[in-house]
Amino acid sequence: MISAQLAISKARRDLTLGAIVRWAMIAAAVAALMMQPLIDGAGVIGVSILFGVGALWMVLSFRSMRGSRVAADSSTFIAAGQFELAERSIAEALDSFSIFRSVKLLSLHHLAALRHAQNRWQDSALLCQAVLMQKPRTTSGLDRSSRLLLADSLLELGDLRGVHENLVRLYNQRLTLREALNLLVVQQDYLARISAWEPMLWQVNTKVQMAELLPTLQSARTQALMALAAKNTGRLDWFDWLRKRVELLIDVQHLCADRPMLSELWKQ
Amino acid sequence: MSEPSVQFLDVPTLLEKSQPRGSGVRFWQLAGMFLFIVLLSTYITSRGAAAARALSLASGMIMLLLVGAMGVISFTIFRRTQEEHLRLEAIEELIRLRRWTEAGILLQQMLSQPTRTSHARVGGLIFLASVLARYNRFDDAIAVQEYLLEHFQLDGGTAHGLRLARAMAMLREDHLFDADRAISDLRRDVARAGRVMNEAAAEETNEVQETEAPQTLSSGLALVEIYRDVKTGHPTEAIATFEKTLSSLREQLGHRVADAYMLIAKAHDLLHQTDQAQSYYESATRLAPAIELHRRYPETAGLAEKYQPAQAPGEAA
């Protein structure tokens, strides 16, 4: 199993190395252009250097793309519960050299997702923090995915202040539907832990419709938390409606084992 | 003279027009061009000092232009590919939010021109099949699904999902013989996949694994079989499949388990077991709107007159 610390230090080293190689190639290309008249009057050497740099860039880009594809495979393995295969893919991607930052950051993010799926919250949080420290581009969506994963891991670790800080940052960003759904799951869980029952039911219709789009466990858990909020705020129609929905979706005992506070919903 | 009318989401046209264009320039062409430039410059240099100086100046300018042009071309290609990816994501979101018309319009735009990548085309066609099925154009949906299964090497999960959707579309179109054959193929594929999984697990744990029924492994398959049995007047078999697979149906289908509850309400209704039919009808409508379920399974529309749906809270109603 890849250690989180080792993966982070390896990724940092590769990011530095990748940046050096990238800048060295750019410098060589610029030098070939500028110094061309001094080196060789005909420009053959300049063109050759440029062509060499271009070819090297293409080879390294191709290798980087392959690393990115290997890392991307891991998300399919994680979704299918094949953690061994996912671990192998990520290790391969982390070991391969890449001139692009995004490939290394993506590999670290996939490792964080794997540790999250394995309920290794501490490792997952560490890896997400390492990704966010590198300030990935907002357009890639990696920062938002890592922050969501971090918020969820911190929630499991009981670090409510950390969850709040990360949720606030996510509220300021434009999210995709998938991200908005994941945010709903973390947000409702967080609000339930701080007993903020009223905010949990703001725009209840929209939240219920969104919860319907989630996978079974997350959908049932989110609706059960909302049922708990409805019970605690005296909205018994919603309490009864949501609780019965949850019963149709999942084995209640399994749900209560996952979130003990929910057993209050089925107390006689 | 009037323009020929263009049908919305016309399958043959979209299949033809969405073919990605091949790359205009190949690597060997670039290498050949480079070799030609080197030979030409060597020849010109050998003609004298003045020619060499002129060549040096010209080649510097050309190189700068080439570098600039390559940068612009790469950036444009990257941006267009990213735009296509974003458009595909937007279509997926619209389908999940059941905003079918907008999804259809975006698909029409996307597939009416060559896609940048084959991956985007496959994604677009998969979404196209879902939208066509939503508009009850099941024959068109089947045509797209068969095209995808025939022409592309899809991963196991995607191919299975497509085969399930095709079997469901065949049932909706009353192609019962084809549907039955498609279901048998699906059963065989799932059973084979289950055996492979068991063997892998047995190797890891050194314990012989119990073989699960194909319908338990794939709830989609269980749902298709339940629908077939209800449609062909075999309610007892439908109820038996439902009872055997309920826990996996709930786990794998999420809120779409409402479909199974609705079909089982119909099965009990066919057996004149009105109490059970009422109970399952209520369960189904607690999870999904009755109107949507009746649209998906027109055979269940008559239940609306006989049974009471679940009462939603005021704000949800």
Side-chain angles (χ1 to χ4, degrees), chain B residues 14-61:
Chain B
L14 295 181
L15 287 180
E16 194 191 319
K17 287 191 172 172
S18 60
Q19 300 264 17
R21 259 192 229 123
S23 165
V25 186
R26 302 261 178 267
F27 180 77
W28 63 266
Q29 288 172 318
L30 286 175
M33 224 182 317
F34 171 71
L35 194 67
F36 174 73
I37 290 169
V38 170
L39 289 173
L40 186 72
S41 60
T42 314
Y43 170 72
I44 293 174
T45 315
S46 67
R47 303 275 297 186
R53 260 198 307 280
L55 177 73
S56 165
L57 200 69
S59 64
M61 295 291 285

Side-chain angles (χ1 to χ4, degrees), chain A residues 127-141:
Chain A
L127 289 159
C128 289
Q129 279 162 343
V131 173
L132 291 169
M133 268 175 68
Q134 296 293 330
K135 295 191 173 55
R137 281 188 308 144
T138 24
T139 44
S140 68

Side-chain angles (χ1 to χ4, degrees), chain B residues 103-316:
Chain B
I105 292 168
L106 273 186
L107 278 167
Q108 175 85 29
Q109 285 171 1
M110 180 184 171
L111 299 173
S112 297
Q113 55 192 314
T115 53
R116 310 283 320 171
T117 61
S118 176
H119 178 260
R121 182 165 182 253
V122 170
L125 290 176
I126 290 173
F127 294 142
L128 174 65
S130 324
V131 173
L132 289 168
R134 176 60 179 77
Y135 283 121
N136 291 349
R137 288 170 58 183
F138 295 105
D139 277 331
D140 282 342
I142 293 168
V144 175
Q145 285 149 356
E146 287 187 340
Y147 179 85
L148 283 164
L149 289 166
E150 267 174 36
H151 292 83
F152 296 96
Q153 191 72 41
L154 302 167
D155 67 87
T158 310
H160 181 67
L162 274 173
R163 288 196 179 101
L164 281 173
R166 187 181 55 168
M168 199 55 115
M170 285 169 172
L171 284 172
R172 283 295 310 269
E173 249 347 47
D174 290 328
H175 298 167
L176 297 181
F177 179 75
D178 291 341
D180 208 47
R181 206 173 47 187
I183 291 170
S184 302
D185 290 346
L186 276 164
R187 263 171 170 257
R188 218 178 11 253
D189 291 347
V190 175
R192 197 182 303 134
R195 272 199 303 276
V196 172
M197 273 162 56
N198 281 349
E199 280 166 17
E203 259 180 37
E204 266 182 31
T205 57
N206 286 328
E207 280 174 28
V208 179
Q209 306 289 311
E210 205 174 303
T211 313
E212 283 183 272
Q215 301 96 323
T216 314
L217 291 170
S218 165
S219 294
L221 175 60
L223 190 64
V224 173
E225 287 198 14
I226 290 170
Y227 184 38
R228 178 198 55 191
D229 290 339
V230 168
K231 200 173 171 86
T232 55
H234 296 91
T236 317
E237 287 85 342
I239 293 167
T241 307
F242 174 76
E243 284 171 353
K244 197 168 66 182
T245 57
L246 179 58
S247 74
S248 64
L249 280 168
R250 294 203 303 186
E251 195 186 319
Q252 294 176 29
L253 296 184
H255 267 261
R256 286 300 293 263
V257 75
D259 294 34
Y261 285 124
M262 180 57 85
L263 290 170
I264 293 308
K266 177 68 184 174
H268 281 292
D269 182 65
L270 288 171
L271 293 168
H272 307 291
Q273 297 166 342
T274 49
D275 286 349
Q276 287 100 319
Q278 171 62 54
S279 166
Y280 282 115
Y281 189 73
E282 202 177 308
S283 298
T285 50
R286 191 176 294 284
L287 292 175
I291 193 164
E292 175 64 18
L293 293 169
H294 296 321
R295 191 202 57 75
R296 282 182 206 154
Y297 307 102
E299 300 78 7
T300 65
L303 301 182
E305 289 158 17
K306 291 165 95 174
Y307 304 108
Q308 285 295 313
Q311 286 300 311
E315 288 170 85

Side-chain angles (χ1 to χ4, degrees), chain A residues 204-205 208-209 237-238 241 245, chain B residues 285 289 309-317:
Chain A
V204 62
N205 268 322
V208 168
Q209 281 172 8
D237 52 347
W238 277 103
W241 167 259
R245 281 185 132 205
Chain B
T285 50
Q311 286 300 311
E315 288 170 85

